[in-house]
Amino acid sequence: MEYRQLGRSGLRVSAVAYGNWVTHGSQLDDDAAAACVAAALDAGITTFDTADRYAQGRAEEALGKALRGVRRSSIELCTKVYLPVGPGANDSGLSRKHITEGCHASLSRLGTDYIDLYQAHRYDDTVPLEETMTAFADLVRQGKVLYVGASEWTAPQLRAGQRLAADLHIPFIANQPQYSMLWRVVEAEVLPVSAELGLGQLAWAPLAMGVLTGKYEPGQRPPAGSRATDGFGGSFIARYSSDLLLSRVRQLRPIAESAGCTMAQLAVAWVLHRSTVASAIVGASRPEQLAETAAAATVQLDDDLMAQIDAVLDELVERDPAKTARPNDVMPAWR
């Protein structure tokens, strides 16, 4: 495993991180979740990403349980706050009240005294940014949060957040965007500004919800048990379900073979090839999947291979920067 500096901070993260969105607390029981976490640790993964929203808190609980007994200083725990976690008027957003209460609840579920990276899961334009960043600053000064970051913020939002963080003397160090061969909306604005500000990227969905593994075939039903057959996960995959796109993905197979890797490794290595990306977040429903994707950290892609990938996918790639903060707009309201 390779370990990379997160932005211009002193924090190092594993180049491949393990995320438990749509798996822990929903698709997987605690024993299966623990087996996946153990496989991640065996593969050298030290960075674990979750959120209070995932499975209504059960994902954090499952991750905390699976990591029980692991030396705390040997891992990096990342979680997020913003999305609804209950029906109340203050059960969502980035108000001082919700951030403070959300942090305490996440600490309890994770079974830890501090969060390495606490991220704003989306930008909240209903709350003054000063209130949001001051609440984060207080948690940093209390030792409950070490570093602060964001997820799916636009370039101007990141710039404003970094400016306030500098005034408050707190380490705002990272952004977590969706980023893959097929979803490149952050390339035009977010990545250049992040490089300027010293923000590292923790890329989620580098496998495009599993589509880039090649397991979905054009004209065929999705494999049983795959994310496409899950009601919530399937809503995210819908945009990748056209026969044309799936046919193009099949054309990546010989490119992966020439690079000496699997298609999943090719997709993760492509994301890690970007200099602003510190880590690619992968999920898993089986331990053996992590052994495969973690190995992507060692895959080297030359310029010719990158050009071949672009030649196959170019016309199907989403690049509109206006979609930066709206990766799919299917996050359901609390229910």
Side-chain angles (χ1 to χ4, degrees), residues 123 129 152-164 172 188-191 193-194 196-197 199 321 324-325:
Y123 188 86
L129 186 57
E152 296 296 346
W153 283 23
T154 64
Q157 291 164 354
L158 291 170
R159 194 181 293 281
Q162 180 68 293
R163 186 182 307 117
L164 278 170
F172 185 78
E189 300 173 3
V190 168
L191 295 189
V193 167
S194 292
E196 173 194 335
L197 299 175
L199 303 178
T324 297

Side-chain angles (χ1 to χ4, degrees), residues 153-212:
W153 283 23
T154 64
Q157 291 164 354
L158 291 170
R159 194 181 293 281
Q162 180 68 293
R163 186 182 307 117
L164 278 170
D167 291 343
L168 292 164
H169 302 289
I170 59 170
F172 185 78
I173 67 169
N175 180 50
Q176 187 178 134
Q178 181 178 181
Y179 190 41
S180 71
M181 293 178 184
L182 294 169
W183 189 263
R184 308 187 197 180
V185 303
V186 293
E187 289 184 341
E189 300 173 3
V190 168
L191 295 189
V193 167
S194 292
E196 173 194 335
L197 299 175
L199 303 178
Q201 307 299 300
L202 302 168
W204 66 275
L207 298 174
M209 319 300 174
V211 170
L212 290 172

Side-chain angles (χ1 to χ4, degrees), residues 216-267:
Y216 300 111
E217 295 286 350
Q220 297 185 23
R221 296 177 63 84
S226 66
R227 185 171 294 182
T229 62
D230 173 80
F232 180 54
S235 62
F236 277 84
I237 295 175
R239 65 165 170 263
Y240 298 128
S241 61
S242 75
D243 283 350
L244 173 60
L245 188 147
L246 295 178
S247 295
R248 291 295 181 85
V249 169
R250 289 183 67 181
Q251 294 178 34
L252 297 176
R253 187 167 285 116
I255 298 176
E257 291 171 354
S258 69
C261 65
T262 67
M263 290 183 66
Q265 290 166 347
L266 181 73

Side-chain angles (χ1 to χ4, degrees), residues 54 68 130 154 161 177 191 214 223 264 270 276 289 314:
Y54 299 165
R68 198 172 298 157
E130 292 82 357
T154 64
L191 295 189
W270 184 93
T276 56
Q289 293 173 322
D314 188 60

Side-chain angles (χ1 to χ4, degrees), residues 54-93:
Y54 299 165
Q56 287 74 55
R58 294 190 301 277
E60 286 184 327
E61 290 176 351
L63 181 60
K65 182 179 178 182
L67 289 170
R68 198 172 298 157
V70 174
R71 184 167 57 89
R72 180 63 182 86
S73 60
S74 69
I75 59 172
E76 304 83 48
L77 275 179
C78 312
T79 192
K80 298 181 282 293
V81 62
Y82 168 77
L83 294 172
V85 293
N90 290 302
D91 287 336
S92 64

Side-chain angles (χ1 to χ4, degrees), residues 50-54 56-65 72 77-83 85 98-115 117-119 121 139 144-145:
T50 186
D52 57 2
R53 168 68 186 194
Y54 299 165
Q56 287 74 55
R58 294 190 301 277
E60 286 184 327
E61 290 176 351
L63 181 60
K65 182 179 178 182
R72 180 63 182 86
L77 275 179
C78 312
T79 192
K80 298 181 282 293
V81 62
Y82 168 77
L83 294 172
V85 293
H98 184 58
I99 288 173
T100 303
E101 293 173 348
C103 180
H104 291 158
S106 289
L107 289 170
S108 177
R109 287 190 291 263
L110 289 166
T112 187
D113 295 327
Y114 66 93
I115 295 164
L117 178 64
Y118 200 34
Q119 303 154 100
H121 210 157
L139 293 171
K144 296 171 182 175
V145 169

